[in-house]
């Protein structure tokens, strides 16, 4: 982690692997458009974990792209029209797919290359100050990296809630297993492309 000139901890981790990730995402044709299979996976992930919001998220050097997205019908993220997920998700087609890299917790998962479980984000000073807390009201997060067969963390799958969630070990095992399942699907698809 680094500090800004005023001495505050910067919330978004430095991502030295971003150029390799971008190259790999391009090779796989991922991260530029939504796909019904990823939306279906996000819907199933939300159902399995019992959350209102879930994503299949690919991350480049500047932004996050929700290739798969589940939100409750008729619900828009956040109440602020000026930024955050409210602005990112509200789009011309009703649901946008992009979010700044400094919003949310998935960039941490990608850099750490392991799952992150935050039952109450406010319990962690490093994560409580993230823009998604104040702008959107996110209180709980659970995500796992999508580790490609070449060793590149392509992105994440994640679930979030506006309420505190006791994820526990069962939640951690579920998110990790579902990330592995999605990577198997991506690997099979790549095998068909070769």
């Amino acid at each position: 982690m680094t500090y800004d000139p005023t001495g505050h901890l910067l919330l978004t981790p430095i991502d030295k692997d971003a150029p390799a990730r971008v190259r790999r995402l391009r090779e796989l044709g991922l991260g530029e458009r939504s796909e019904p299979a990823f939306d279906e996976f996000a819907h199933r992930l939300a159902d399995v974990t019992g959350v209102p919001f879930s994503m299949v998220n690919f991350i480049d050097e500047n932004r996050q792209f929700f290739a798969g997205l589940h939100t409750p019908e008729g619900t828009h993220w956040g109440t602020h029209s000026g930024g955050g997920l409210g602005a990112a998700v509200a789009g011309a087609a009703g649901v946008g797919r992009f979010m700044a890299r400094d919003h949310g917790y998935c960039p941490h998962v990608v850099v750490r290359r392991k799952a992150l479980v935050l039952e109450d984000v406010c319990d962690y000073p490093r994560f409580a100050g993230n823009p998604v807390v104040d702008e959107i009201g996110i209180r709980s997060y659970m995500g796992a990296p999508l580790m490609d067969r070449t060793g590149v963390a392509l992105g994440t799958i994640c679930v979030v809630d506006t309420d505190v969630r006791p994820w526990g070990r069962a939640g951690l095992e579920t998110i990790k297993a579902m990330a592995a399942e999605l990577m198997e699907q991506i690997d099979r698809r790549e095998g068909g492309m070769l």
Side-chain angles (χ1 to χ4, degrees):
M1 300 305 295
T2 58
Y3 292 85
D4 73 11
T6 63
H8 292 98
L9 185 65
L10 293 177
L11 300 174
T12 306
I14 295 171
D15 185 0
K16 295 178 278 190
D17 296 331
R21 177 179 319 103
V22 170
R23 279 191 304 275
R24 188 66 178 133
L25 287 170
R26 284 188 185 130
E27 288 172 9
L28 294 169
L30 299 173
E32 294 295 323
R33 66 184 185 286
S34 61
E35 296 186 26
F38 291 142
D39 281 338
E40 289 171 25
F41 186 89
H43 295 314
R44 193 163 61 83
L45 179 60
D47 188 49
V48 166
T49 57
V51 298
F53 305 98
S54 65
M55 283 78 69
V56 173
N57 187 8
F58 297 115
I59 302 172
D60 68 19
E61 293 150 315
N62 303 306
R63 66 182 186 182
Q64 302 176 66
F65 175 69
F66 305 129
L69 178 65
H70 170 85
T71 62
E73 275 192 47
T75 302
H76 295 281
W77 289 68
T79 56
H80 296 42
S81 60
L85 273 177
V89 173
V95 175
R97 300 282 180 154
F98 299 95
M99 185 168 72
R101 193 177 164 277
D102 65 347
H103 282 56
Y105 309 106
C106 290
H108 294 272
V109 172
V110 167
V111 170
R112 292 166 32 116
R113 301 169 61 88
K114 62 183 182 176
L116 176 63
V117 176
L118 303 170
E119 294 182 345
D120 183 349
V121 299
C122 295
D123 287 345
Y124 304 89
R126 176 179 180 185
F127 297 115
N130 194 284
V132 297
V133 176
D134 292 334
E135 294 177 16
I136 301 155
I138 298 302
R139 285 299 300 273
S140 140
Y141 169 91
M142 184 169 58
L146 294 169
M147 297 302 300
D148 161 271
R149 64 176 178 76
T150 67
V152 173
L154 301 174
T156 68
I157 61 166
C158 70
V159 294
V160 296
D161 202 338
T162 55
D163 293 321
V164 173
R165 298 288 298 244
W167 305 112
R169 176 152 292 293
L172 174 63
E173 295 306 319
T174 297
I175 199 83
K176 287 166 57 177
M178 291 197 73
E181 177 186 322
L182 184 58
M183 278 313 308
E184 286 177 14
Q185 291 176 23
I186 292 170
D187 287 344
R188 279 194 306 272
R189 183 170 90 169
E190 182 184 18
M193 291 169 46
L194 297 175

